[in-house]
Amino acid sequence: MAKIVVTGGLGYIGSHTVVELVNAGYDPIIIDDLSNSQAGILDQLTKIIGFKPTFYQFDLCDEKKLKEFTEKESDIEGIIHFAAFKAVGESVQKPLKYYHNNLLSLTNLLSAYSGKDISFVFSSSCTVYGQPDVLPVDENAPVKPAQSPYGNTKQIAEEILKDAIASGDAKKVIALRYFNPVGAHETALIGELPIGVPQNLVPFITQTAIGKRNKITVFGDDYNTKDGSCVRDYIHVVDLAKAHVAALKLMESNYFAGYDVFNLGTGNGNTVLEIIIAFENATGVKLNYEIGPRRSGDVEQVWGDVTKSAKELNWKAELGIDTMMASAWAWEQYLSKNPL
Ligand SMILES: NC(=O)c1ccc[n+]([C@@H]2O[C@H](COP(=O)([O-])OP(=O)(O)OC[C@H]3O[C@@H](n4cnc5c(N)ncnc54)[C@H](O)[C@@H]3O)[C@@H](O)[C@H]2O)c1
């Protein structure tokens, strides 16, 4: 079984990807420092996949620990690099924390496996497009000046990866630009586990529905969209996880070399208000929400052109908004009875 290192493998997207890697016959090896996840996720993964996945707990910024790891795990075939800090607002308050963690973890990993014939998948983001001039936005759209240090780390990371390909430090790299991952695994044993106040809409919705939060604030209803609230391309996290397997498969094929980038979304946009209604319809739970002022840094609308992913990755999102909402709600209910 091909060994695939999954950095940040106990996090939201990483944990779902571990499951899909096992389903596809790979042997995932998790690295996580638990800076934004819980050790209990390892037990949850064990319940889903039927065995305890290999797990190393250390910070990828620690070169010495990474060296010990590479000496032990020298026969790996791929790396999926999720590990990063992701809170946009915090990155504005603490930019150096973000540049340090998100960039040093990447350069350390590339250096540790420099020159080896390893497939490398990187978690990028649609934030690189800012507010696109044309919608849906495709991979050839110009990258816009980053709106936050977090967004900037994704742009710089893509540049670092291209340079590493040009120099031969890396051989095969795919950067995946995620739109808005939501939802949870069908078993409701893993899902998004925000530490503190959620930054994203759907965990805020589920926490309000369960009574942890009083109400949801919709940031602005005067945008130039169908109901005035912002539009995003919401994608089920399990669909997203499967795309990582598709990226590995593409890199295993003989004709792939160098660097490429793919959008991962559904190709459809939904407004914030539509998501609130979709949640109510899918779960039968009424939500308390109010309209507030716009939030600085929010783009008005973005959704992805996923033609290239369908054609070249041979992947497309299959799960709809109802499943996204119902699974997120099942996970929140599970968590309220079984805190991790
Ligand atoms: N969730 C989103 O909305 C979204 C959207 C676009 C891109 N992304 C990117 O996808 C990746 C995964 O996101 P997520 O939502 O699963 O985040 P997450 O915070 O749930 O998972 C990241 C994991 O990485 C670990 N980690 C962070 N820094 C580390 C380090 N230096 N060494 C070892 N482990 C470290 C954390 O403990 C956490 O478990 C991130 O790179 C994020 O920027 C996420």
Side-chain angles (χ1 to χ4, degrees), residues 72-303:
K72 252 187 165 165
E73 302 286 357
S74 54
D75 57 341
I76 64 157
E77 295 190 14
I79 299 174
I80 307 181
H81 182 41
F82 293 105
F85 294 150
K86 64 168 181 179
V88 175
E90 189 193 39
S91 81
V92 177
Q93 307 301 321
K94 299 178 182 166
L96 301 184
K97 175 178 170 182
Y98 277 69
Y99 286 117
H100 174 83
N101 192 49
N102 294 7
L103 299 180
L104 191 57
S105 60
L106 174 65
T107 54
N108 276 354
L109 259 181
L110 291 170
S111 305
Y113 289 99
S114 172
K116 299 237 165 78
D117 189 18
I118 285 172
S119 302
F120 194 99
V121 184
F122 177 69
S123 299
S124 191
S125 166
C126 68
T127 56
V128 301
Y129 298 124
Q131 177 59 64
D133 302 324
V134 179
L135 287 166
V137 59
D138 72 22
E139 292 85 347
N140 294 319
V143 163
K144 294 275 178 71
Q147 298 291 312
S148 68
Y150 166 75
N152 209 17
T153 67
K154 293 298 174 194
Q155 295 190 2
I156 297 169
E158 288 194 8
E159 295 304 321
I160 290 172
L161 288 164
K162 280 186 242 172
D163 288 343
I165 286 289
S167 66
D169 285 305
K171 302 290 181 197
K172 297 175 199 169
V173 174
I174 288 182
L176 298 174
R177 291 177 178 162
Y178 311 157
F179 283 71
N180 286 59
V182 297
H185 193 257
E186 61 182 356
T187 57
L189 290 168
I190 53 172
E192 191 165 1
L193 199 56
I195 294 180
V197 181
Q199 307 281 316
N200 296 333
L201 176 64
V202 173
F204 213 103
I205 286 179
T206 57
Q207 289 196 3
T208 306
I210 206 102
K212 271 198 213 166
R213 316 255 157 226
N214 288 336
K215 60 175 177 254
I216 301 152
T217 302
V218 177
F219 298 114
D221 68 347
D222 55 353
Y223 287 100
N224 185 23
T225 61
K226 61 178 133 169
D227 59 25
S229 61
C230 289
V231 174
R232 298 287 179 271
D233 185 342
Y234 295 93
I235 174 169
H236 198 294
V237 66
V238 171
D239 277 331
L240 192 72
K242 287 179 178 167
H244 295 75
V245 174
L248 289 176
K249 298 266 181 229
L250 178 59
M251 286 190 276
E252 282 162 19
S253 64
N254 288 331
Y255 57 89
F256 186 94
Y259 176 87
D260 211 345
V261 57
F262 294 94
N263 280 347
L264 297 184
T266 61
N268 301 306
N270 281 104
T271 67
V272 172
L273 291 168
E274 281 175 340
I275 292 297
I276 289 174
I277 292 163
F279 180 86
E280 291 183 335
N281 289 341
T283 64
V285 182
K286 276 271 164 227
L287 290 169
N288 184 20
Y289 70 91
E290 64 174 11
I291 308 293
R294 291 182 178 196
R295 185 172 61 173
S296 80
D298 275 345
V299 302
E300 182 172 87
Q301 43 190 329
V302 60
W303 65 95

